[in-house]
Amino acid sequence: MQRIQATELSLRVAQLFIAAGADTARAKLVSDNLVLANLSGHDSHGVGMAPRYVDAIAEGYLKPHADIRVVTDAGALLGLDGQGGFGQVVGEQAMQMAFERVATHGSCIMSLASAHHLGRIGHFAEMAVARGLVALHFVSVWARPIVAPFGGGDGRFGTNPCCIGIPVGYGETQREPFVLDFATSRVAQGKMRVAHNEGRLAESGTLIDENGKPTNNPGVVVVPQSDGRMGALLPFGEHKGYGLAVACELLGGALSGGGTWHDTHDGRRAVLNSMLTILIDPKRLGTQMSFASETLAFVDWLRQSPANSEDGVLLAGEPERKAREERQRLGILIDAATWDELTQSARKLGHVF
Ligand code: NAD
């Protein structure tokens, strides 16, 4: 394990992206975003993804200089193409454009097709709630099909994240927002990579092996098993979580024009995300004041529940904020395998991490 401060880590990862062909501004934006995921407690979506991005640039699927392209512009309805650009870059461009539309129309439905990995989707919801907006995101993942359908025995789609951001209170009564942000698989695939790197077992009920049998070995979704086949993650929440995963594929992938997964994997390292985003301004809906008081009242009501666990009642978004405070202070722990992958990735580019 290596402990490193966030600013130092971000600097090093930005240099890695510059060595891979990114310009300074984009490299910094992407590395800051990955480090923010580490700070938020989601190492699965942190700097451990950087070697994969470097490989995706070399493969030609990640286009480090690409910006969004406007495909459809119908006021409150925006159809955008991420053109394989850094998801952190085109994702923010797309959100900024959607915010302008909300300012005019009070709401915006924005689809973003074919961005390279968007990272932690909660980042986009946090951008929206900071502006007092409600945000809904449905995302498809176009990479290796790693999640089995409910009742199925092999991977057929990605970890399709879903995210909902809701501001709590308003003005003087404003509190920390609700930011629910999760993969629709029981655990994110990156968490299995981290567990595998750290030599930990996965919880029961999370994985099936390459023969469709339950297993606790996270390696089944990280390295090819016998005859090159892989195991799969299971969706969360049985048939209900599976249904949400399919909705993310159809709304994020099919509706945006980005496409759905229906093929075998060709071994590529790139991860493409397509996302449907819905933004609503409560002020323009005319419910701002009652919305603010009801969100406050409900959250207070939840918190009055007697604690039945060590942490008691938390609101989604709270664990990430807590982790940020702690990791900013103490630094970020990077496991040895991730550090080694970053070093190897730099070496391939003739660079020192
Ligand atoms: P997770 O299982 O850790 O769940 C996170 C969510 O649950 C957060 O909203 C968190 O605030 C909330 N939460 C956690 N503990 C809680 C508690 N005790 N009480 C109330 N709420 C609580 O997350 P995950 O499924 O591992 O996903 C991790 C990240 O991976 C997310 O940011 C997601 O966007 C990202 N992701 C991205 C992709 C992609 O392709 N870009 C794919 C999958 C996941």
Side-chain angles (χ1 to χ4, degrees), residues 66-336:
D67 293 316
I68 48 166
R69 182 171 66 87
V70 179
V71 180
T72 305
D73 184 347
L77 204 55
L78 280 177
L80 308 173
D81 186 340
Q83 307 197 95
F86 276 120
Q88 291 82 354
V89 172
V90 294
E92 287 202 8
Q93 291 173 347
M95 289 302 291
Q96 293 296 352
M97 200 166 174
F99 294 145
E100 285 164 21
R101 300 314 163 97
V102 178
T104 310
H105 303 285
S107 67
C108 179
I109 297 176
M110 178 268 283
S111 71
L112 173 63
S114 310
H116 190 259
H117 192 240
L118 288 161
R120 205 176 57 86
I121 306 305
H123 179 67
F124 304 111
E126 285 165 0
M127 289 174 75
V129 294
R131 290 164 172 79
L133 306 176
V134 169
L136 288 85
H137 307 271
F138 302 92
V139 184
S140 70
V141 184
W142 205 71
R144 188 150 47 83
I146 199 69
V147 184
F150 181 68
D154 65 359
R156 293 281 148 168
F157 48 84
T159 52
N160 296 357
C162 180
C163 178
I164 301 173
I166 303 178
V168 174
Y170 178 65
E172 296 207 333
T173 67
Q174 190 173 342
R175 298 281 184 278
E176 296 289 8
F178 170 87
V179 180
L180 179 63
D181 172 28
F182 59 89
T184 49
S185 49
R186 200 157 284 195
V187 290
Q189 204 233 338
K191 291 204 168 131
M192 293 296 93
R193 173 175 49 79
V194 176
H196 176 68
N197 286 348
E198 293 176 357
R200 286 186 284 112
L201 288 177
E203 266 181 45
S204 297
T206 306
L207 295 161
I208 51 175
D209 67 15
E210 69 278 20
N211 298 312
K213 297 277 178 291
T215 178
N216 297 91
N217 172 16
V220 299
V221 290
V222 182
V223 285
Q225 301 298 292
S226 54
D227 65 28
R229 291 182 302 148
M230 302 285 281
L233 294 162
L234 295 172
F236 85 99
E238 280 81 30
H239 55 290
K240 304 176 196 183
Y242 160 57
L244 186 56
V246 172
C248 285
E249 186 84 14
L250 299 179
L251 295 174
L255 190 62
S256 67
T260 62
W261 189 273
H262 39 73
D263 209 347
T264 49
H265 186 237
D266 62 4
R268 78 183 60 164
R269 298 271 288 159
V271 181
L272 291 180
N273 281 147
S274 295
M275 172 166 78
L276 179 76
T277 294
I278 300 170
L279 298 175
I280 303 164
D281 184 350
K283 274 202 258 10
R284 302 290 295 276
L285 192 65
T287 58
Q288 179 71 83
M289 295 327 286
S290 62
F291 177 59
S293 60
E294 287 300 320
T295 49
L296 269 179
F298 186 66
V299 169
D300 282 348
W301 167 252
L302 289 177
R303 292 200 191 282
Q304 286 168 33
S305 177
N308 215 358
S309 66
E310 199 184 317
D311 289 334
V313 175
L314 301 177
L315 197 65
E318 218 175 324
E320 286 73 15
R321 289 189 288 270
K322 236 179 176 165
R324 274 177 213 173
E325 190 278 313
E326 198 178 295
R327 291 183 176 199
Q328 275 290 9
R329 204 161 29 84
L330 302 176
I332 296 167
L333 275 176
I334 305 287
D335 67 82

